[in-house]
């Protein structure tokens, strides 16, 4: 394990706020706070080529471990920005055990096996190293677009009016004469921001279109938009102790354990590379300050495996956990909150960081569409953020609260009944499987309202009495076989994770379009979809999905997929037919399966599913256009994309219109080559 690098990214404010050609200090996005969520968003925006400034009040990343857990969805998000492998290398994959006492009386255990996303269901890490990796992700790769200043804070924000299109889309020069006539709804309010250097007291001024509050539970940005945290603090108090363990320390359990002892509920876990954490419930008759005294603290640690002479305590603190959600995550214009700035969740499911990552994933692609001028109504776009995310946060807080109440019972009679119920219920394999399943420990992340096409609703028969609507669900991520392109430097020929085929923009999946009857109507539908301007604007990738029981029939022609803003791919589902079972609850040999189009958003949530009467290009295109509020006046010079993607010179603030000269293709397959004609030998294998 690498040693923790404590380099301080602390530079003079003026040297880090670059000036544009008009000698004004300007950014497309200002992120306030460079914790895990702010740093993650900076990586997203840097990859998109968006001019971003990150302001952090601390001089460096945190040096104290607090958060320690990330789930499989968080790893999928890290994969999107290319940091998953680095984080996995510095993490532990631990069993989670529920014990009656320290290391004994096991009630049940959960293994860290891979989920349907092909990532471990949970990992544990050392927060300083975790934050450093995320911060270095944008500093080392996207320094042309993202600036960071530390030891500074935002002290005031005021708004001014400015025309959206004048600052937004450099490729709309042909429409400049019309820009002066834009009405009020096409205008945004630029933010005038004052930043104070906490060492010198110097004040700097800058402008930004969008402000993201990633500044934690005491968020200044939340207060600036008059948003209030609603909820409560737990009545339970906890003592947390983090220690660095010496090499000759007696072996401590290498797993996460909830100690369900009614006399003193606790939890312990190892943290990479050589740290350990203990947390103890403080009883009602005990004083917090007394619990931190060496004689009491050492006794607790020794009874839970610690040798005090062979460890160094680096943190001890008493705390109560919070269950709070902000009433407004968006100010109605261009300021939004993410992570702890808008929600504080109880710790028992370990979903704090994962929830913030989901926020980032949800808002990043919407910011990109807005700044490119693709969307005609940014209020609707940004309002969807809280509509889509808050229900999931509410479910997590509710379930985490109930989990804590069940695990941390302090009444010995109630604990006896709990243990009896655990033993009885988990003796049934079906109930045990449900409990051990990912969804058994945390609620599914489903979007029920927002930027999805509910009118396309496709329900699949989950059982004889239960149906589930897959619209608004996140699509799983199997390893699929790419058959119309060659993949370079892959261990298994042409096997690739689904997200690498879907790309970073919208994607359009074609199922059951493998008939050999030369259906003219189907061919016309496919041609209209692929050639439509809306899909080009959204950088849509087109993917034909073939089941293991289906034969490949060529759907895409070279002329229909020639746009440089998109890619056309043909894939075989994995051996388990994960995609077919998810979409249709059926294997591909089902003769009743109908041609189906599935639209996937950039965050990998299903926008809509179209088949039967809804399988019409007019229906699909009108739904996307109306739900996303696509700007009909948007124009784009697609011939310049490849040249612009290779342009990596200049600073984050070199030009007010840099976002428009660095538009990435929706295709993320950087290691593929060829087309259908050049890979006929691959295709023949499957015919």
């Amino acid at each position: 394990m690498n040693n923790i690098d404590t380099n301080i990214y602390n530079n003079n404010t003026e040297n880090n706020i670059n000036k544009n050609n008009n000698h004004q200090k300007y950014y497309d996005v200002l992120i306030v706070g460079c914790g895990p969520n702010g740093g993650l968003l900076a990586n997203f925006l840097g990859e998109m080529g968006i001019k971003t400034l990150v302001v952090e009040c601390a001089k460096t990343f945190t040096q104290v471990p607090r958060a320690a857990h990330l789930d499989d969805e968080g790893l999928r998000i890290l994969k999107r920005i290319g940091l998953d492998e680095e984080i996995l290398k510095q993490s532990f994959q631990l069993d989670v055990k529920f014990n009656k006492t320290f290391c004994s009386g096991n009630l049940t255990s959960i293994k860290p096996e891979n989920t349907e996303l092909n990532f471990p269901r949970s990992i544990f890490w050392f927060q300083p190293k975790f934050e450093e990796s995320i911060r270095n992700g944008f500093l080392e790769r996207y320094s042309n677009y993202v600036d960071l200043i530390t030891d500074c804070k935002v002290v005031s924000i005021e708004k001014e009016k400015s025309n959206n299109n004048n600052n937004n889309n450099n490729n709309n020069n042909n429409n400049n004469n019309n820009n002066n006539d834009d009405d009020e709804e096409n205008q945004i309010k630029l933010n005038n921001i004052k930043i104070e250097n906490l060492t010198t007291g110097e004040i700097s001024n800058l402008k930004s279109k969008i402000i993201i509050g990633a500044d934690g539970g005491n968020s200044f940005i939340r207060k600036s938009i008059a948003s209030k945290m609603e909820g409560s603090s737990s009545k339970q108090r906890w003592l947390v102790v983090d220690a660095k363990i010496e090499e000759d320390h007696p072996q401590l359990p290498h797993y996460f354990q909830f100690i369900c002892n009614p006399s003193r509920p606790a939890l312990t876990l190892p943290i990479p590379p050589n740290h350990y954490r203990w947390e103890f419930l403080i009883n009602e008759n005990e004083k917090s300050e007394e619990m931190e005294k060496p004689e009491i603290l050492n006794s607790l640690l020794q009874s839970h495996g610690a040798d005090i002479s062979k460890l160094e305590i680096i943190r001890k603190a008493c705390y109560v956990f919070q269950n709070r959600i902000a009433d407004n995550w968006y100010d109605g214009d261009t300021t939004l909150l993410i992570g702890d700035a808008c929600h504080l969740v109880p710790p028992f499911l370990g979903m704090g960081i994962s929830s913030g990552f989901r926020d980032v994933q949800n808002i990043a692609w919407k910011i990109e569409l807005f700044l490119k001028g693709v969307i005609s109504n940014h209020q609707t776009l940004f309002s969807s953020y809280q509509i889509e995310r808050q229900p999931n946060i509410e479910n997590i807080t509710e379930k985490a609260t109930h989990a804590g109440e069940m695990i941390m019972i302090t009444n010995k009679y109630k604990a006896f009944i709990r243990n009896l119920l655990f033993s009885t219920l988990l003796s049934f394999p079906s109930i045990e499987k449900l409990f051990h399943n990912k969804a058994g420990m945390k609620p599914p992340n489903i979007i029920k309202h927002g930027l999805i096409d509910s009118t396309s609703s496709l329900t699949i028969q989950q059982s004889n009495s239960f149906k589930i609507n897959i619209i608004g669900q996140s699509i799983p991520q199997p390893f699929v076989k790419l058959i119309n392109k060659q993949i370079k430097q892959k261990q298994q020929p042409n096997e690739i994770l689904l997200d690498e085929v879907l790309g970073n923009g919208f994607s359009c999946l074609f199922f059951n379009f493998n008939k050999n009857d030369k259906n003219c109507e189907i061919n016309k539908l496919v041609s209209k979809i692929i050639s439509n301007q809306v899909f080009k604007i959204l950088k849509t990738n087109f993917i034909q999905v073939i089941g293991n029981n289906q034969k490949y029939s060529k759907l895409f022609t070279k002329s229909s997929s020639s746009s440089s803003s998109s890619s056309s791919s043909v894939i075989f589902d994995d051996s388990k037919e994960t995609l077919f079972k998810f979409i249709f609850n059926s294997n591909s040999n089902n003769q009743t399966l109908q041609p189906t189009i599935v639209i996937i958003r950039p965050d990998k949530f299903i926008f809509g599913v179209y088949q039967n009467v809804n399988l019409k290009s007019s229906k699909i295109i009108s739904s996307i256009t109306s739900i996303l509020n696509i700007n009909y006046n948007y124009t784009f010079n697609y011939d310049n994309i490849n040249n612009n993607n290779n342009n990596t010179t200049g600073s984050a603030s070199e030009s007010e219109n840099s976002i428009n000269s660095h538009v990435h293709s929706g295709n993320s397959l950087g290691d593929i080559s060829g087309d259908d004609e050049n890979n006929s030998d691959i295709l023949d294998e499957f015919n």
Side-chain angles (χ1 to χ4, degrees), residues 7 31 34 170 177 261 367 650:
N7 288 332
I31 301 173
C34 195
N170 194 43
N177 291 333
N261 185 347
I367 291 174

Side-chain angles (χ1 to χ4, degrees), residues 366-550:
K366 298 174 182 178
I367 291 174
E368 183 184 23
L369 290 187
F370 164 60
L371 291 175
K372 283 176 54 183
V374 173
I375 303 302
S376 60
N377 188 328
H378 70 279
Q379 286 92 348
T380 301
L381 181 73
F382 290 152
S383 293
S384 70
Y385 163 58
Q386 184 173 359
I387 293 171
E388 293 177 353
R389 288 290 303 126
Q390 184 167 342
N392 180 244
I393 294 297
E394 291 173 346
N395 288 338
I396 288 173
T397 56
E398 180 181 5
K399 195 161 188 175
T401 299
H402 292 331
E405 291 171 348
M406 179 63 67
I407 294 168
M408 302 303 172
I409 290 174
T410 56
N411 182 291
K412 64 179 181 179
Y413 301 107
K414 290 181 179 179
F416 174 80
I417 294 172
R418 175 202 59 203
N419 296 347
L420 183 63
L421 284 173
F422 257 73
S423 301
T424 303
L425 293 176
L426 294 178
S427 66
F428 295 95
S430 59
I431 296 178
E432 183 182 35
K433 183 178 179 180
L434 176 64
F435 182 80
H436 289 178
N437 184 275
K438 182 179 70 170
M441 285 299 291
K442 67 176 184 180
N445 184 17
I446 299 175
I447 296 172
K448 295 184 178 180
H449 304 284
L451 301 184
I452 55 174
D453 186 3
S454 300
T455 64
S456 71
S457 179
L458 170 68
T459 56
I460 58 174
Q461 191 74 32
Q462 198 76 1
S463 67
N464 291 332
S465 58
F466 179 69
K467 288 185 176 181
I468 185 169
N469 182 7
I470 64 171
I471 311 300
Q473 291 198 46
S474 178
I475 193 167
Q477 182 179 219
F479 276 98
V480 297
K481 184 163 287 188
L482 187 66
I483 66 173
N484 72 325
K485 295 181 175 70
Q486 291 279 10
I487 308 173
K488 300 176 182 177
Q489 298 177 343
K490 293 289 179 180
Q491 291 182 347
Q492 296 185 1
N494 282 52
E495 286 207 347
I496 191 170
L497 282 170
L498 177 65
D499 285 3
E500 296 184 62
V501 185
L502 297 180
N504 298 336
F506 278 78
S507 50
C508 180
L509 277 59
F510 297 84
F511 288 87
N512 309 315
F513 283 79
N514 54 302
K515 307 295 183 183
N516 288 311
D517 56 4
K518 304 297 183 183
N519 188 317
C520 293
E521 292 302 317
I522 290 295
N523 291 337
K524 289 180 182 179
L525 169 68
V526 174
S527 179
K528 288 180 180 179
I529 293 291
I530 292 179
S531 62
N532 189 269
Q533 186 79 351
V534 167
F535 286 106
K536 292 179 181 178
I537 289 172
L538 295 175
K539 303 185 301 182
T540 307
N541 281 350
F542 303 98
I543 300 107
Q544 182 182 5
V545 185
I546 312 296
N548 292 314
N549 298 292
Q550 297 175 335

Side-chain angles (χ1 to χ4, degrees), residues 133-168:
S133 296
I134 293 175
R135 184 175 294 197
N136 284 346
F138 68 82
L139 287 176
E140 295 176 358
R141 298 180 300 170
Y142 307 122
S143 59
N144 292 332
Y145 300 98
V146 182
D147 289 336
L148 168 68
I149 55 174
T150 61
D151 194 29
C152 292
K153 69 176 182 178
V154 175
V155 292
S156 73
I157 301 170
E158 294 181 354
K159 298 213 178 247
E160 67 177 22
K161 290 187 178 181
S162 175
N163 187 290
N164 185 23
N165 286 339
N166 282 341
N167 288 317
N168 213 31

Side-chain angles (χ1 to χ4, degrees), residues 163-182:
N163 187 290
N164 185 23
N165 286 339
N166 282 341
N167 288 317
N168 213 31
N169 198 336
N170 194 43
N171 295 300
N172 284 351
N173 290 333
N174 293 334
N175 296 330
N176 279 348
N177 291 333
N178 296 327
N179 286 343
N180 294 330
D181 299 325
D182 285 347

Side-chain angles (χ1 to χ4, degrees), residues 161-206:
K161 290 187 178 181
S162 175
N163 187 290
N164 185 23
N165 286 339
N166 282 341
N167 288 317
N168 213 31
N169 198 336
N170 194 43
N171 295 300
N172 284 351
N173 290 333
N174 293 334
N175 296 330
N176 279 348
N177 291 333
N178 296 327
N179 286 343
N180 294 330
D181 299 325
D182 285 347
D183 53 33
E184 184 69 19
E185 67 178 337
N186 286 328
Q187 295 182 333
I188 65 167
K189 299 175 182 177
L190 281 179
N191 299 283
N192 293 320
I193 301 139
K194 292 184 182 296
I195 294 177
E196 179 185 357
N197 185 303
L198 295 176
T199 297
T200 66
E202 179 184 3
I203 300 294
S204 298
N205 299 290
L206 62 91

